[in-house]
Amino acid sequence: MNSQKSVVSIHGTGSTHWVGDGFPVRNLFPSNGVGAQMSPFLMLDYAGPKYFEPSDRPRGVEEHPHRGFETVTIAYQGSVDHRDSGGHAGTIAPGDVQWMTAASGVVHEEKHGREFTRQGGVFEMVQLWVNLPRKDKMSEPKYQSITKEQIPVVALGEGAAARVIAGELNGARGPASTFTPMNVWDVKLAAGAKVELPLTEGHNTGLVLLRGGVTLNGGQALTGEAQLALLSQKGDGVAIEATEETILLVLSGEPIDEPVASYGPFVMNTREELQQAVRDYQAGKMGRLS
Ligand code: MN
């Protein structure tokens, strides 16, 4: 590391709401005012941790569309069953990641896993939205089902390890293929662990504390649950010391320097493209669930 990325700002949860009846989320951006500073990332919802009673009927979100970006689901506790108009279906189990490229349009449903629903338990997951550059927004939808076993774990010294979901860390490459350069690392730290993470000069970077406590560059502290630290584009690393057991998502990427127009589940570059997305969805052009 030549120079540390500095901490620009620290943010708590913006909105707290339910997505369907299965996902009680705390939104870490953009509802707290953090928008373009996180590009290429558009949104992060942290669902749970929350206990659900056993049930016969899977809770979740019914059939809905997406266009123009990617949805990334990271399961921590409990599982998600999904199926989409491309004919994909499966279960995202704890430790697994689903990287869905909605691109020109996908219709899908997201429900608690059948077995999890029957048994009840604590549910915890993250859904991250990743923008696509203009040239790829209308490309073919794509789908990456990434299991826990496929995600390399990089030891970062005593009591510290990172799961590399996307990008690269200390020579380990994450399994997710992405359209623009980015890193998504799921970092676990024991109390007292100290790490220096290499980051890229010019990348936007956010550290999402799911729970625990850290000090950054020997100064600013992030404690509790659901906090976001925004780092500067300048600099090529950050020093982190855990003050307690911590789970931290590191999101870092090359900004997509294009206008963003969004409406619900559609993220395009212009208002006209959003209107077209609504028309295409209503006309069934994004497919249907069978
Ligand atoms: Mn969805």
Side-chain angles (χ1 to χ4, degrees):
M1 172 160 65
N2 292 316
S3 67
Q4 291 172 334
K5 282 185 183 282
S6 57
V7 179
V8 173
S9 51
I10 290 177
H11 306 264
T13 299
S15 68
T16 300
H17 60 273
W18 282 79
V19 178
D21 65 356
F23 307 99
V25 306
R26 289 177 278 185
N27 179 266
L28 266 300
F29 64 88
S31 66
N32 54 8
V34 177
Q37 305 102 305
M38 279 301 295
S39 172
F41 307 101
L42 293 164
M43 188 218 73
L44 187 141
D45 273 345
Y46 179 29
K50 180 179 168 60
Y51 176 78
F52 284 88
E53 297 284 349
S55 169
D56 298 331
R57 190 191 58 83
R59 304 169 180 94
V61 212
E62 304 295 335
E63 181 169 345
H64 62 278
H66 294 289
R67 172 181 278 182
F69 63 103
E70 302 181 290
T71 67
V72 178
T73 304
I74 305 169
Y76 286 92
Q77 302 185 70
S79 61
V80 178
D81 275 356
H82 66 92
R83 52 194 194 102
D84 71 29
S85 49
H88 306 105
T91 299
I92 310 164
D96 296 348
V97 175
Q98 182 205 58
W99 198 293
M100 186 185 83
T101 306
S104 63
V106 154
V107 170
H108 73 164
E109 69 170 26
E110 298 158 278
K111 296 282 180 76
H112 289 186
R114 213 179 273 253
E115 198 51 37
F116 173 78
T117 300
R118 200 162 25 226
Q119 293 183 356
V122 176
F123 186 85
E124 182 183 17
M125 57 143 249
V126 162
Q127 188 163 91
L128 174 68
W129 288 10
V130 179
N131 205 2
L132 290 172
R134 189 195 312 263
K135 67 175 180 49
D136 297 313
K137 280 186 180 291
M138 292 300 285
S139 62
E140 277 291 297
K142 185 173 95 164
Y143 174 88
Q144 301 174 69
S145 175
I146 300 167
T147 61
K148 184 179 174 181
E149 293 70 31
Q150 292 173 285
I151 301 172
V153 181
V154 176
L156 296 167
E158 208 182 317
R163 301 198 315 138
V164 183
I165 295 167
E168 193 243 304
L169 176 60
N170 297 349
R173 279 216 73 81
S177 97
T178 66
F179 286 76
T180 59
M182 74 189 70
N183 292 300
V184 177
W185 304 331
D186 181 21
V187 177
K188 217 171 179 175
L189 303 167
K194 289 182 186 180
V195 297
E196 283 198 355
L197 292 178
L199 296 165
T200 304
E201 173 89 30
H203 273 198
N204 285 334
T205 304
L207 306 179
V208 179
L209 180 82
L210 299 189
R211 63 176 156 276
V214 291
T215 56
L216 304 173
N217 299 331
Q220 262 137 313
L222 214 53
T223 55
E225 293 186 356
Q227 301 274 309
L228 168 70
L230 200 63
L231 304 185
S232 60
Q233 288 188 343
K234 205 171 140 44
D236 61 3
V238 65
I240 301 174
E241 182 171 355
T243 50
E244 51 192 299
E245 196 175 300
T246 292
I247 299 178
L248 192 71
L249 262 183
V250 178
L251 309 176
S252 171
E254 186 179 287
I256 297 174
D257 191 17
E258 294 175 0
V260 173
S262 68
Y263 176 71
F266 308 125
V267 183
M268 304 300 290
N269 298 111
T270 68
R271 257 180 64 100
E272 291 66 35
E273 289 165 346
L274 289 176
Q275 289 161 351
Q276 187 65 48
V278 172
R279 283 195 297 272
D280 287 352
Y281 170 55
Q282 286 168 348
K285 290 184 183 168
M286 297 182 189
R288 298 261 187 249
L289 288 185
S290 48

